[in-house]
Amino acid sequence: METKAENACFGGTQGVYSHRSEVCACDMTFGLFLPVEAKDGPVPLLWFLSGLTCTHENAMTKAGAQSHAAAHGIGLVFPDTSPRGEDVADDDDFAMGQGAGFYVNATEAPWKANFRMWDYVTGELPALLGEHFAVDLSRQSITGHSMGGHGALTIAMHMPETYRAVSAFAPMANTTDSDWGRPQLRAYLGDDAEAHARHDASRLVAERGFPGPMLIDQGTSDQFLDKLKPEALATAIATRRQEATFRMQPGYDHSYFFVSTFIEDHVDFHADALWS
């Protein structure tokens, strides 16, 4: 593992690190904020999964989460959104290929050689963090924005024993019935409808739910509402009677101005679960 940068940040350290990923068969980069408490022992960990076209850097520099995490003594990890490199498959469509991993394990060529973001985020990277940093992997929680919100919700519902709570900002909520989901899942996973359904947050809420708390924020002026389909997720939550807070925030769009406005609420929400 290589240290790319480490900066003092709200009494702790914001680092950027790269390593060779066996899962993705390429070099991967991630950001990790550790509060001052990490000097004395392992701290709980909140994952932030980013959206289309983003890298590890977007949320790390724009969301403003570190000050709130520092106040609660919890760490933040910002993974990349896909494998990258000259030998990694890509596409001219910004919603496919590099920057658009959709947090799945691809089974179709040319994507299956590298695009295994599910295993990377849920297995390889946590193990690496536990080996090299003062993080408590028995206390994890997960959030994300847009494609990352989709990833956070689907991962948490498949792995409820790992995450204390889940939240999302403007998640891709119904991928099997959206232009942000249908084409990508078909390209990555083939024509297996059951495989697609495993990566649809609304269908997973309806079928299995999540045993812990859930928080969703969605802007009413989001320019991508027709693709995100928040109404499908809200309906699934109500039908299952899932423990959840679903907020439509008037006037907010899809940008990091929206995320940064409500990030304190989300960090507070996760801190309550991580320290309970």
Side-chain angles (χ1 to χ4, degrees), residues 146-222:
S146 193
M147 180 183 72
H150 139 79
L153 290 167
T154 56
I155 287 171
M157 282 185 278
H158 280 293
M159 302 178 63
E161 71 286 353
T162 300
Y163 305 98
R164 300 281 185 97
V166 59
S167 73
F169 299 86
M172 294 180 184
N174 192 195
T175 49
T176 60
D177 192 30
S178 170
D179 290 340
W180 274 359
R182 248 190 336 252
Q184 295 81 9
L185 293 179
R186 186 176 299 113
Y188 291 144
L189 302 174
D191 294 326
D192 185 347
E194 184 176 343
H196 298 185
R198 286 176 52 83
H199 296 283
D200 185 310
S202 296
R203 295 179 68 165
L204 287 173
V205 167
E207 293 170 5
R208 64 173 64 199
F210 181 69
M214 182 181 291
L215 171 63
I216 311 293
D217 272 313
Q218 172 65 64
T220 63
S221 296
D222 193 312

Side-chain angles (χ1 to χ4, degrees), residues 54-167:
C54 292
T55 69
H56 69 281
E57 190 173 18
N58 296 72
M60 186 181 80
T61 59
K62 294 181 179 180
Q66 291 90 339
S67 64
H68 309 301
H72 291 289
I74 62 177
L76 297 167
V77 58
F78 305 95
D80 203 346
T81 55
S82 79
R84 298 181 190 271
E86 292 183 2
D87 297 328
V88 175
D90 202 2
D91 195 280
D92 290 337
D93 182 354
F94 75 93
M96 277 291 300
Q98 296 187 36
F102 273 79
Y103 302 100
V104 302
N105 287 337
T107 58
E108 303 299 304
W111 313 106
K112 64 181 180 180
N114 303 100
F115 281 69
R116 302 188 61 81
M117 289 302 294
W118 183 283
D119 282 353
Y120 178 70
V121 167
T122 65
E124 186 178 37
L125 186 53
L128 183 77
L129 297 176
E131 180 181 355
H132 293 281
F133 299 97
V135 295
D136 182 356
L137 296 181
S138 72
R139 293 177 180 268
Q140 296 185 74
S141 202
I142 192 166
T143 187
H145 174 227
S146 193
M147 180 183 72
H150 139 79
L153 290 167
T154 56
I155 287 171
M157 282 185 278
H158 280 293
M159 302 178 63
E161 71 286 353
T162 300
Y163 305 98
R164 300 281 185 97
V166 59
S167 73

Side-chain angles (χ1 to χ4, degrees), residues 166 205 212-216 237-238 241-247 269:
V166 59
V205 167
M214 182 181 291
L215 171 63
I216 311 293
I237 287 171
R241 300 178 182 174
Q242 166 70 42
E243 178 189 357
T245 299
F246 191 108
R247 309 189 299 191
F269 164 79

Side-chain angles (χ1 to χ4, degrees), residues 31-55:
L32 177 67
F33 169 76
L34 290 177
V36 65
E37 288 85 351
K39 294 179 180 179
D40 297 322
V43 297
L45 189 63
L46 173 59
W47 292 77
F48 191 109
L49 306 186
S50 290
L52 288 175
T53 76
C54 292
T55 69

